[in-house]
Amino acid sequence: RPSLPHRSMMITMSQNQSYWASVNSEIEAHLKQAIPLRPPLQVFEPMHHLVFAAPQNTAPALCLAACELVGGHRDQAMAAASALHLMHAASFTHEHLPLTDRPRPKSRPVIHHAYGPNIELLLGDAIIPFGFELLARSDDPAQNNSDRILRVTIEITRAMGSQGMVEGQYYELECPQSDGEELCDVGWIEQVCKKKEGGLHACGAACGAILGGGSEEEIEKLRRFGLYVGMIQGMLHGAGRKEKGLKEVVEELRNLALKELEEFKGRKVEAISSFVNV
Amino acid sequence: RPSLPHRSMMITMSQNQSYWASVNSEIEAHLKQAIPLRPPLQVFEPMHHLVFAAPQNTAPALCLAACELVGGHRDQAMAAASALHLMHAASFTHEHLPLTDRPRPKSRPVIHHAYGPNIELLLGDAIIPFGFELLARSDDPAQNNSDRILRVTIEITRAMGSQGMVEGQYYELECPQSDGEELCDVGWIEQVCKKKEGGLHACGAACGAILGGGSEEEIEKLRRFGLYVGMIQGMLHGAGRKEKGLKEVVEELRNLALKELEEFKGRKVEAISSFVNV
């Protein structure tokens, strides 16, 4: 594996864009290669489609950036980043299933369904284990990384499970506000975004730091950075994005996020700090 | 950990029943302890319910039996057995969701839904990662078992994914026969059972053998044994159980299954061979 001189690399804003583009295209290429159109085609073809139909999410890219920030090579975090995209794709697919008793929140755009709901339900169920498979397969005796991979597996299961993503989705469902924008309030939006986008990004950043060999302190700093970044994105792009008082909360989260990066000065900090502005 | 004198233990049929009862109650106790009613209660309470609402499945017990057969202690396979039950429970929950375009197969019993479909969809999504979490957490430095756990993780992801359980469920959906019993034929039933119950039991037996320290040959023998056992159960208890010609296929599968156990003679073979008669 080539080793890049990360720590001395300083990049400008326009270089950030090419950093982004390169990180995202690498994750996509990795996933495309990992999901070949193999038999049974009638299952793999729609799975392939659903994985790439989900809107882009920055948690996987953040995972690679965190890995590089602590001095690792992005290849070390590629399987985890791909698994994070798969988890996001499965959640997105299941969130948009037309279930019989679900009122469609007005704020949620109508999406095109290429397949029937049964197929989308099933394929979501196939995508989740596939993410954990990719991760487990990245175990490499030459790198002696089993412990890190098991640790990252636990991180991702928790971010997706009943105290993470699912809890956020649960709040969304249970709250009468989810029927229409007018009933949302910033506190509720913040709670949902914390569990959903916040949790996924916190997990992504922590996993990258673990796989890149970061210290426990670095892992926790990057976890908090990811939490703030995810919350910002959830709040700016989600249902309540026009809510009063939201801009102030976002500005505060940006400051909190950047504060977590202070001790990384001199490293590849510009690339990762650009995540607060996505 | 106490070590039992497995290899010399020979048990009679009535002892088999107590073996079964003890194995199943141990798995249940392990799961109950692993899913405490912790906050958020509104998520954990239904999760707890759904995990135990799924009908009993023998793949987890087979996992423990295979572990003991190759000379391991059942504790070594307890996390994997619990994960298998969780995968089964998640599949069962999602299979019974009332989706808008799904005709309910006549052969499928109406089940009681304690929660709305949105909650059941979400909780199924939480149960899958929870299974992988339990498994990853069973990593024990004292046992130096990381590699076995990663291998078993891959086994379970494959059994559940797009070339396993999901493929079988896909066949069920796509086939016009699933609308009513009268159109099933034994060949189709066999194909579905091979992917669903067969795959889950093959995986369970292989995982038990891996975790118990079985040789590659033992792992593959037990994998085939599990495949036949699962197929038998799927065929005897599933939609097409009254189909003509099915009894002959089941009898043949029983013989094939028992043949795989021949080389284990003298070990705890009576307990595991009773699985062909469940």
Side-chain angles (χ1 to χ4, degrees):
Chain A
R1 277 165 214 272
S3 169
L4 299 174
H6 307 298
R7 286 170 195 255
S8 62
M9 207 172 163
M10 293 298 274
I11 35 181
T12 66
M13 209 58 201
S14 73
Q15 279 174 308
N16 278 343
Q17 301 215 327
S18 72
Y19 176 82
W20 262 89
S22 93
V23 161
N24 280 327
S25 72
E26 274 187 47
I27 296 169
E28 198 178 311
H30 186 80
L31 277 167
K32 284 207 165 125
Q33 175 266 322
I35 315 174
L37 286 175
R38 63 185 173 192
L41 269 189
Q42 72 272 41
V43 180
F44 273 95
E45 200 275 321
M47 182 162 153
H48 209 272
H49 172 86
L50 290 174
V51 165
F52 297 107
Q56 197 133 66
N57 178 289
T58 47
L62 181 57
C63 177
L64 299 191
C67 175
E68 293 188 320
L69 184 67
V70 300
H73 189 282
R74 69 173 71 161
D75 284 356
Q76 293 174 291
M78 190 56 80
S82 301
L84 284 164
H85 178 79
L86 292 166
M87 299 299 150
H88 159 69
S91 281
F92 181 83
T93 302
H94 281 182
E95 261 188 17
H96 292 84
L97 280 181
L99 278 164
T100 41
D101 78 345
R102 167 142 57 187
R104 195 178 62 77
K106 283 186 206 140
S107 55
R108 191 172 279 172
V110 180
I111 67 158
H112 168 67
H113 289 274
Y115 304 94
N118 293 310
I119 302 302
E120 296 196 350
L121 170 64
L122 264 183
L123 271 295
D125 284 353
I127 291 172
I128 300 171
F130 184 63
F132 291 112
E133 181 187 341
L134 270 192
L135 195 56
R137 270 170 35 204
S138 71
D139 176 37
D140 178 1
Q143 285 192 55
N144 193 23
N145 60 350
S146 314
D147 290 345
R148 286 183 189 172
I149 291 187
L150 284 164
R151 184 170 171 188
V152 163
T153 301
I154 296 174
E155 290 279 350
I156 297 180
T157 58
R158 291 191 174 160
M160 295 310 298
S162 42
Q163 294 187 303
M165 178 70 80
V166 165
E167 190 183 357
Q169 291 172 319
Y170 200 100
Y171 288 146
E172 259 186 329
L173 278 178
E174 291 295 280
C175 219
Q177 285 95 325
S178 65
D179 276 332
E181 283 181 65
E182 53 287 358
L183 292 170
C184 298
D185 76 50
V186 173
W188 178 78
I189 296 170
E190 206 177 336
Q191 191 191 25
V192 169
C193 293
K194 189 172 176 179
K195 285 292 170 181
K196 290 181 67 183
E197 293 87 348
L200 195 67
H201 284 77
C203 171
C207 290
I210 292 167
L211 292 163
S215 68
E216 291 307 316
E217 202 194 328
E218 288 173 330
I219 293 165
E220 294 315 315
K221 270 188 188 304
L222 285 167
R223 186 195 301 283
R224 287 190 297 271
F225 175 76
L227 175 70
Y228 301 136
V229 164
M231 286 175 76
I232 292 169
Q233 298 200 6
M235 294 179 86
L236 288 181
H237 303 297
R241 61 189 169 279
K242 287 169 195 152
E243 209 55 33
K244 229 175 114 177
L246 191 134
K247 275 192 180 161
E248 288 73 16
V249 177
V250 165
E251 207 39 51
E252 200 182 314
L253 290 168
R254 275 203 183 110
N255 290 333
L256 287 167
L258 293 173
K259 223 172 146 59
E260 296 295 340
L261 298 181
E262 278 175 4
E263 284 173 36
F264 292 99
K265 282 252 163 71
R267 303 210 221 160
K268 206 175 183 167
V269 80
E270 294 191 16
I272 201 168
S273 54
S274 69
F275 280 81
V276 301
N277 295 315
V278 172
Chain B
R1 275 161 214 272
S3 170
L4 300 172
H6 309 297
R7 284 168 197 258
S8 62
M9 206 170 161
M10 292 299 274
I11 38 181
T12 66
M13 209 56 200
S14 72
Q15 280 174 308
N16 278 342
Q17 302 215 327
S18 72
Y19 176 82
W20 262 88
S22 93
V23 162
N24 280 326
S25 72
E26 275 188 47
I27 296 170
E28 199 177 312
H30 186 80
L31 277 167
K32 284 207 165 125
Q33 176 266 321
I35 315 176
L37 287 175
R38 64 185 172 191
L41 270 188
Q42 71 271 42
V43 180
F44 273 95
E45 200 276 320
M47 182 161 153
H48 208 272
H49 172 86
L50 290 173
V51 165
F52 297 106
Q56 198 133 63
N57 178 288
T58 47
L62 181 57
C63 177
L64 299 190
C67 174
E68 293 188 319
L69 184 68
V70 299
H73 188 281
R74 69 173 72 160
D75 284 357
Q76 294 174 293
M78 191 56 80
S82 301
L84 285 164
H85 178 78
L86 291 166
M87 300 298 151
H88 159 68
S91 282
F92 181 82
T93 302
H94 281 181
E95 260 187 19
H96 292 83
L97 280 182
L99 278 165
T100 42
D101 78 344
R102 166 141 59 186
R104 195 178 61 78
K106 283 187 207 141
S107 54
R108 191 172 280 173
V110 180
I111 67 157
H112 167 68
H113 289 273
Y115 304 94
N118 293 309
I119 301 302
E120 296 196 351
L121 170 64
L122 263 183
L123 272 294
D125 284 353
I127 292 170
I128 301 171
F130 185 63
F132 292 112
E133 181 187 340
L134 270 192
L135 194 57
R137 270 170 35 203
S138 71
D139 175 38
D140 178 0
Q143 285 191 58
N144 193 21
N145 61 350
S146 315
D147 290 346
R148 286 183 190 172
I149 290 186
L150 284 164
R151 184 169 171 189
V152 162
T153 300
I154 296 173
E155 290 279 350
I156 297 181
T157 58
R158 290 191 175 159
M160 295 308 298
S162 41
Q163 294 187 304
M165 178 68 81
V166 165
E167 189 182 357
Q169 291 173 318
Y170 200 101
Y171 288 145
E172 258 185 328
L173 278 178
E174 292 296 282
C175 219
Q177 284 95 325
S178 66
D179 276 332
E181 284 181 64
E182 56 286 357
L183 293 169
C184 299
D185 77 48
V186 174
W188 178 80
I189 296 169
E190 206 177 338
Q191 191 190 25
V192 169
C193 293
K194 189 172 176 179
K195 286 291 169 179
K196 290 181 68 183
E197 293 88 349
L200 195 67
H201 284 77
C203 171
C207 290
I210 291 167
L211 292 163
S215 68
E216 292 306 316
E217 202 193 329
E218 288 173 330
I219 294 165
E220 294 315 314
K221 271 188 188 304
L222 285 167
R223 185 195 301 284
R224 287 190 297 270
F225 175 76
L227 175 70
Y228 301 135
V229 164
M231 287 176 75
I232 292 168
Q233 299 201 5
M235 294 179 85
L236 287 181
H237 304 296
R241 61 191 169 277
K242 288 169 193 152
E243 210 54 31
K244 230 176 111 176
L246 190 134
K247 276 192 179 160
E248 289 73 14
V249 176
V250 165
E251 208 38 51
E252 198 182 313
L253 290 168
R254 275 202 183 109
N255 291 333
L256 287 167
L258 293 173
K259 225 174 144 59
E260 296 294 341
L261 298 181
E262 278 174 4
E263 284 172 37
F264 293 98
K265 280 253 164 71
R267 302 210 223 161
K268 205 176 183 169
V269 80
E270 295 192 14
I272 202 167
S273 54
S274 69
F275 280 82
V276 303
N277 295 315
V278 173

